[in-house]
Amino acid sequence: MVSLLAQPRPAVRASRGAVATSHPAAARVGRDVLQDGGSAVDAAIATAAALTVVEPTSNGLGGDAFALVWDGGRLHGYNGSGRAPAALGSEVLRAQGHSTVPLTGWASVTVPGQVRAWADLHARFGRLPWRRVIEPAIALAEEGCVVPPVVAHYWQRGIAGADRLSGPECSAFTPTFAPDGRAPREGETVRLLDHARTLRRVAECGADDFYTGEIASAIAEFSSRTGGFIAQADLAQHQGEWVDPVSTAYGRLRLAEIPPNGQGIAALIALGILDGVDLGDDLAAPASLHLQIEAMRLAFADTFAYVGDPAHVGVPVEGLLDEGYLAQRRGLIGEQAGEAAAGQPPRGGTVLLCAADEDGRMVSLIQSNFHGFGSGVVVPGWGIALQNRGSGFVLEPGHPNELRPGRRPFHTIIPGFLFDSDAPLGPFGVMGGHMQAQGHVQVTLHTSRGADPQQALDAPRWRVEDGEILLEPGLADAAEELRRRGHTVRVGEDGGFGRGQAIWRAGDGGGWIAGSETRCDGLAAGY
């Protein structure tokens, strides 16, 4: 297995603009767009489109996207998550004998919101023509791109699991991503010509084609022919949503997140709890790690209990971030690992990129097909790998996150944005399922201790998962003390500790400081 944590690298300094993401080719695309006079949003969209080509192991045209955009005066949020099709509710899957939503096949597919997200962001904040920002991705798909080591690792892992795919809806998966019967190896060049066809259609006809035009017809026809649930009306009715970000303070810093249906609130709850706790000078000390982990466990307990689609259920966002409630949750943390149960608040596979331009605009954009390549459903002739975000729903009747027609599922993907003493510091994020909220907490904590973006991203991490605490090797010395405190601990490097990017506004004369962590193939590119 390829090492997923290489040697540390220095942060990148840029005087005018910067882009940071998990694949060097995509980062260079974004930097070129900035140099051509594009805005940070133009660069973000161009980078995002390129990532669907060069890193299909984590995202594609059939995914969802979220963004935080600093326009120079205020922070805007965009929720680009799609909804469950009208023909699919929890009772359908329960009648089929399911207790959870499957990870593969049509039952896991929600309406893709990503292409619409790009268009909405471009309409509001773009400066270059739409076609100009999509064209570099078309070139990469047609001319090919060399596969770097981490992408090669995840590609091989995804293809190795393709034997679990069955049914006619998954028949195009292997021909699309393993036409030679295997995953591409590191250093090989991959072309995705069907993917290029879709991108070209989007570039020439606009995003509407994906939802009401020829592309939409192809998706709906394939769904109808292979037993799917998505109909033309589901695609046509999709809309993204501009939202007000939510935030909480930790010391002089303030972390902003997209409000539910995403898990960003988990990072805010954890930081709100920790803001009243003395973590000491060494964040890697066992006593400090214990406090961080316990706050995260309590935050997840509340998040999993209360988060759903706010358009359909009442998510108590203000209550979960209420200072009195956070103090109550803080009081549950003792010397030993405690029971992490939800409280009663008062009621009132992923890619991440960051971009900043010379006018001071900043973007954190995250998009994903969710688990690996997604649902395994690929639209033949178009190369569209559809997401399996529907597996984020639960089938428990009455739960806030129950699968219901027209609802958006619980989402793991979350862009982040930091303020320092109320001044915008910059965009960041950490990819990787439920590691994302935990990564946001840990990057914020290290930043509060003076770390630059690269240092904050590369610091060794912990992860809470299924009752276990996983530690990267750099925190191995704390394992025994954490076990003594009642935690179940495992040390290792399994690739599940996230892959993040960050760009901070430089405080020493202007410009930017950017980082792309060494757990991925990424690059911070500036000029």
Side-chain angles (χ1 to χ4, degrees), residues 82-98 100-111 169 223 227-231 233-234 237 309 312 375 377 386-395 401-409:
R83 296 159 178 81
L88 182 60
S90 58
E91 67 282 350
V92 174
L93 298 187
R94 288 197 298 265
Q96 295 176 358
H98 294 288
T100 60
V101 180
L103 266 176
T104 61
W106 280 116
S108 68
V109 178
T110 50
V111 173
E169 70 270 28
S223 172
F229 299 95
I230 286 186
D234 297 309
Q237 291 167 9
D309 184 347
H312 295 271
S375 63
V377 180
L386 293 169
Q387 64 186 3
N388 51 2
R389 279 292 165 188
S391 61
F393 283 116
V394 300
L395 300 184
N401 189 38
E402 182 187 4
L403 169 61
R404 303 301 303 165
R407 284 191 183 179
R408 296 171 294 185

Side-chain angles (χ1 to χ4, degrees), residues 7-229:
Q7 293 300 312
R9 60 170 76 114
V12 170
R13 287 183 172 266
S15 61
R16 298 181 66 183
V19 174
T21 195
S22 53
H23 196 292
R28 294 186 189 105
V29 162
R31 181 191 58 191
D32 290 347
V33 166
L34 287 176
Q35 289 179 305
D36 283 354
S39 68
V41 164
D42 289 326
I45 297 166
T47 303
L51 284 166
T52 68
V53 178
V54 299
E55 202 170 330
T57 53
S58 301
N59 75 131
L61 294 170
D64 281 350
F66 295 78
L68 289 167
V69 180
W70 177 261
D71 68 0
R74 61 167 291 204
L75 189 66
H76 304 263
Y78 184 88
N79 181 332
S81 58
R83 296 159 178 81
L88 182 60
S90 58
E91 67 282 350
V92 174
L93 298 187
R94 288 197 298 265
Q96 295 176 358
H98 294 288
S99 59
T100 60
V101 180
L103 266 176
T104 61
W106 280 116
S108 68
V109 178
T110 50
V111 173
Q114 184 173 297
V115 174
R116 173 64 67 204
W118 295 349
D120 287 349
L121 289 163
H122 182 264
R124 190 164 185 176
F125 298 112
R127 194 154 56 194
L128 295 180
W130 168 253
R131 183 165 181 165
R132 166 65 184 89
V133 300
I134 304 298
E135 281 178 342
I138 299 172
L140 284 168
E142 291 180 340
E143 298 168 14
C145 184
V146 174
V147 178
V150 175
V151 171
H153 164 72
Y154 284 112
W155 207 314
Q156 190 280 327
R157 195 166 78 173
I159 297 304
D163 56 0
R164 75 184 188 280
L165 302 176
S166 61
E169 70 270 28
C170 298
S171 60
F173 178 84
T174 299
T176 298
F177 297 113
D180 298 326
R182 61 168 178 82
R185 300 185 179 98
E186 178 186 348
E188 293 184 335
T189 297
V190 173
R191 296 172 178 83
L192 297 174
L193 298 183
D194 288 346
H195 194 104
R197 175 192 180 191
T198 303
L199 283 169
R200 187 170 295 282
R201 182 81 186 175
V202 167
E204 294 175 352
C205 302
D208 285 349
D209 197 79
F210 198 96
Y211 297 94
T212 58
E214 184 177 345
I215 300 172
S217 295
I219 296 171
E221 187 279 329
F222 183 59
S223 172
S224 176
R225 178 160 49 88
T226 57
F229 299 95

